[in-house]
Amino acid sequence: SGQREWPKVLAAMDNILDVHPTDRGLICTVSYALANYLAKHSRHKERLVYHEDRDSRFDALARYKAKKGRVLVSPSFGRGISLDGDLGRFCVIAKLPFPNLGEKQIAGRLYGAKDGKSWYATRTIREIVQATGRVVRTSDDFATAYILDAQFGRLYREWKWVFPSWWREALVEGGNE
């Protein structure tokens, strides 16, 4: 997996952008490297707004909001922003936001605690729900969320009950290309 999967993620993202030619949307990438790759290789690169680091994220957000049809590609907007109404009609989760096992505390909690797997899954699910919630902000708002990571199927099957009921009710399972 890893970078070998990036061309597949790119192709799926570009197909989604074909379906939303004039809509604004958010692509959640989990890393600057993936955001950069998608932004530079997309056939829709003229629509894409991305940023190289955390310090330039709000400049990117302002550029995104300034023009209709733009798409924000970022590892750092899965929470903390509101893209209500036409500011966000779709969201793409390019990779699942699993906590980083390279961090000793994360790995220790997953592998060392009795509730490690539950904690790890719940933390990931919370991030997924947060990210999809960036583009649906009120009861009369609407958007489409796409999850491209094939690991979602297993996560959902094993931990379905952790997802909020309203989120589960909105889920439509699609293809697995």
Side-chain angles (χ1 to χ4, degrees):
S1 113
Q3 291 186 354
R4 289 191 321 264
E5 299 296 316
W6 289 6
K8 291 179 187 174
V9 172
L10 174 66
M13 180 195 78
D14 276 347
N15 289 340
I16 290 165
L17 295 179
D18 289 342
V19 173
H20 297 274
T22 60
D23 292 331
R24 287 187 179 117
L26 172 65
I27 315 271
C28 299
T29 62
V30 307
S31 74
Y32 288 106
L34 178 55
N36 205 343
Y37 172 83
L38 295 174
K40 290 190 171 158
H41 294 91
S42 173
R43 66 176 182 264
H44 296 277
K45 63 178 105 194
E46 73 285 347
R47 292 179 62 195
L48 303 183
V49 175
Y50 72 104
H51 54 104
E52 302 278 348
D53 56 38
R54 191 158 183 79
D55 292 339
S56 57
R57 67 197 287 260
F58 288 108
D59 175 59
L61 182 60
R63 286 184 286 125
Y64 165 78
K65 287 181 173 181
K67 189 174 178 189
K68 289 184 181 192
R70 288 198 171 150
V71 178
L72 183 59
V73 183
S74 174
S76 65
F77 282 120
R79 55 178 49 241
I81 61 168
S82 181
L83 300 177
D84 48 314
D86 289 339
L87 284 177
R89 288 295 176 213
F90 68 95
C91 171
V92 175
I93 297 177
K95 297 293 291 170
L96 290 185
F98 290 112
N100 183 356
L101 290 175
E103 294 178 25
K104 282 185 179 172
Q105 285 181 313
I106 301 283
R109 177 85 191 258
L110 171 60
Y111 299 118
K114 193 168 71 171
D115 70 339
K117 283 186 177 179
S118 175
W119 169 82
Y120 192 75
T122 300
R123 187 149 166 207
T124 303
I125 290 164
R126 188 178 309 130
E127 293 299 318
I128 293 168
V129 172
Q130 279 289 324
T132 57
R134 298 309 87 213
V135 293
V136 178
R137 306 302 294 163
T138 63
S139 60
D140 60 347
D141 199 359
F142 64 92
T144 304
Y146 303 88
I147 300 175
L148 303 183
D149 195 322
Q151 296 180 82
F152 177 74
R154 182 184 50 79
L155 178 74
Y156 189 73
R157 277 190 309 278
E158 291 179 22
W159 300 96
K160 182 178 186 173
W161 55 274
V162 176
F163 285 85
S165 59
W166 56 265
W167 200 95
R168 289 192 314 263
E169 289 165 11
L171 180 65
V172 176
E173 296 186 53
N176 44 350
E177 293 189 23

